[in-house]
Amino acid sequence: MKQLPKRLLSIDVLRALTMLLMIFINDASGVSGIPAWLDHAKETEDALGFADVIFPAFLFIAGLSIPLAIKSRISKGDSTGQVLFYILSRSAALLIMGFYHVNLEGCSPAAILPRAVWEILITLCFFLVWLDYPDTMAKGKKYTLTGIGIASLIVLAILYRGGDMVHPHWMRTSWWGILGIIGWSYLVCALIYYLTKGSLKLLITAWIVLVVTNISAHTFLDHDLLPIIGDVSAQALTMGGVVAIGIYSYLVKIEKTKRLWLLFTILGIGLITAGLIIRPYAEGISKIRSTPAWIFLCSGITILMFEFFIYLVDVKGKANWFKLIRPAGTSTLTCYLIPYFQVAFIELFNIAYPSILNSGIIGLIRSMATSLIIIGLVGLMEKKRLRLKI
């Protein structure tokens, strides 16, 4: 009986491209005179900017990876307890990092440590705690480095001060940050997948429930419908990826993969159409307000992109075309964290780009070059086994 391989190169390439664009968009946010369509749409706008498609694509791709990762753990002989620990520990890591990142936004100017210093130190601690240490390293050394990272994060939390001189406060969640949102979404969707034993019918049912819940939250119910996960927008996007890879796996299993092209095309176009239809009735299109139209449109776009890369990479074998950005697909979290060092050092040493490098098309070229340099650096780190295991 046939089945999908444990790792699909098409997913790695799609993830790499998405991470490249995420770094680029974040860097380009400081560039003046860029086209409005490239940026995020404002909260009050009924619109979809190019930047508004990147994060939902990442959530969808996370969903694509969940079944493959869990199946791999099971095939290695992991028990139920080990699989659940794997899911919970990955989720906890993302939530902790997201929690610290959110508090960067409100760091007080009067804090004991300057914001940039605190940012550099917490990022270093993330590497100490979640580094993919080689199996050949002595356990004592590994545990010591991990312990130093954990202890340092605790100390940095104690030293933290947010707010201002009049209204100081300790660390808190105004939201969970990008990594925290991924963490909660991963936790919910991975548990659903594992508890349903990957049943495609049950996964589709779960996806529909999440989508309907989001629609309800933006029509006649409160947006903050559920504790923490609110309108379940992130979970709906991630579960869309879980369902998509489930369909692909099923077609491989019954040896009907030729149907994939028609099914994914219909599904992608259908989701985009659904987004346009529901747009006037559920608060329009908005990433910031996580509306149903945004979810449908981004899911449809991403599944069509996934279909394209299945054909280009898995069928035609063109993975080498994307060799330059490969580390962004295999050491993705490392790629995401490195820019925090970049931003912190720029702030700490008050570095400013010449205006010509921070405006218009030249500024965008500089942002893309910066993104590629970061990915290249991560590629060098990957060769030295300096990558996070999350």
Side-chain angles (χ1 to χ4, degrees):
M1 185 178 293
K2 293 185 177 181
Q3 60 181 6
L4 284 177
K6 294 178 181 179
R7 192 173 193 112
L8 280 175
L9 292 179
S10 54
I11 296 179
D12 284 346
V13 169
L14 183 56
R15 188 190 298 112
L17 181 60
T18 304
M19 179 49 61
L20 168 66
L21 293 174
M22 186 178 287
I23 298 171
F24 167 68
I25 287 297
N26 287 340
D27 192 275
S29 64
V31 176
S32 62
I34 64 173
W37 61 265
L38 192 62
D39 206 351
H40 293 285
K42 295 181 176 59
E43 183 176 4
T44 55
E45 292 180 326
D46 175 16
L48 185 71
F50 178 73
D52 296 326
V53 179
I54 307 304
F55 180 52
F58 198 85
L59 287 168
F60 194 94
I61 295 164
L64 292 174
S65 303
I66 285 172
L68 300 178
I70 292 179
K71 283 181 180 178
S72 176
R73 305 292 301 195
I74 294 172
S75 67
K76 291 177 182 177
D78 282 10
S79 65
T80 296
Q82 288 173 316
V83 173
L84 291 177
F85 178 77
Y86 169 77
I87 293 170
L88 293 173
S89 61
R90 285 175 64 87
S91 303
L94 292 168
L95 291 171
I96 291 168
M97 286 185 269
F99 178 61
Y100 274 83
H101 280 168
V102 163
N103 282 279
L104 275 172
E105 299 171 3
C107 197
S108 171
I112 297 172
L113 291 175
R115 196 188 86 96
V117 173
W118 200 76
E119 184 172 4
I120 291 169
L121 291 176
I122 64 168
T123 308
L124 284 172
C125 289
F126 294 160
F127 276 87
L128 285 174
V129 177
W130 289 290
L131 194 69
D132 186 14
Y133 291 105
D135 296 333
T136 53
M137 178 181 284
K139 288 186 177 180
K141 185 177 180 180
K142 174 183 174 181
Y143 294 151
T144 298
L145 292 172
T146 304
I148 290 171
I150 294 171
S152 299
L153 282 175
I154 294 171
V155 170
L156 289 167
I158 293 170
L159 295 176
Y160 178 85
R161 294 294 181 275
D164 52 37
M165 297 293 291
V166 180
H167 302 99
H169 62 75
W170 189 62
M171 295 175 69
R172 60 188 184 186
T173 53
S174 54
W175 65 303
W176 283 94
I178 295 297
L179 293 181
I181 290 173
I182 296 172
W184 283 117
S185 184
Y186 174 83
L187 176 64
V188 171
C189 295
L191 287 176
I192 289 173
Y193 177 81
Y194 187 67
L195 295 175
T196 60
K197 298 181 179 179
S199 165
L200 185 56
K201 290 181 180 179
L202 292 178
L203 292 175
I204 292 173
T205 301
W207 184 30
I208 292 171
V209 169
L210 289 169
V211 169
V212 170
T213 301
N214 178 263
I215 293 171
S216 302
H218 288 272
T219 49
F220 61 92
L221 295 177
D222 187 354
H223 285 198
D224 297 323
L225 183 61
L226 298 172
I228 301 175
I229 57 177
D231 66 359
V232 303
S233 55
Q235 287 72 26
L237 284 159
T238 304
M239 188 54 68
V242 174
V243 169
I245 200 68
I247 293 171
Y248 190 7
S249 297
Y250 176 73
L251 293 176
V252 170
K253 180 180 177 181
I254 63 172
E255 300 185 19
K256 301 288 185 181
T257 52
K258 290 183 179 179
R259 297 180 183 178
L260 177 75
W261 315 115
L262 180 60
L263 281 174
F264 271 19
T265 300
I266 292 173
L267 186 56
I269 294 174
L271 286 167
I272 292 171
T273 304
L276 296 174
I277 291 172
I278 201 171
R279 176 182 183 181
Y281 308 105
E283 303 183 353
I285 305 171
S286 176
K287 172 186 181 291
I288 295 176
R289 288 178 279 118
S290 59
T291 61
W294 171 69
I295 291 172
F296 283 132
L297 288 169
C298 294
S299 296
I301 291 168
T302 309
I303 200 168
L304 291 175
M305 290 301 296
F306 180 41
E307 180 182 10
F308 171 73
F309 282 113
I310 289 172
Y311 177 76
L312 185 65
V313 176
D314 295 335
V315 176
K316 293 298 183 180
K318 303 300 183 182
N320 281 338
W321 286 9
F322 305 92
K323 188 176 180 180
L324 184 65
I325 62 170
R326 178 184 173 277
T330 53
S331 296
T332 311
L333 184 55
T334 309
C335 265
Y336 181 81
L337 290 179
I338 291 299
Y340 281 89
F341 287 120
Q342 174 204 0
V343 171
F345 279 112
I346 287 174
E347 180 181 335
L348 187 63
F349 295 104
N350 198 25
I351 299 170
Y353 292 114
S355 58
I356 192 173
L357 293 178
N358 213 32
S359 61
I361 186 65
I362 294 178
L364 292 177
I365 293 172
R366 195 267 309 156
S367 289
M368 180 55 71
T370 299
S371 305
L372 292 172
I373 289 169
I374 287 170
I375 292 173
L377 174 62
V378 171
L380 294 175
M381 293 172 62
E382 193 176 59
K383 291 178 181 178
K384 300 292 184 181
R385 194 66 182 268
L386 295 173
R387 61 184 296 274
L388 287 101
K389 59 185 176 183
I390 305 301

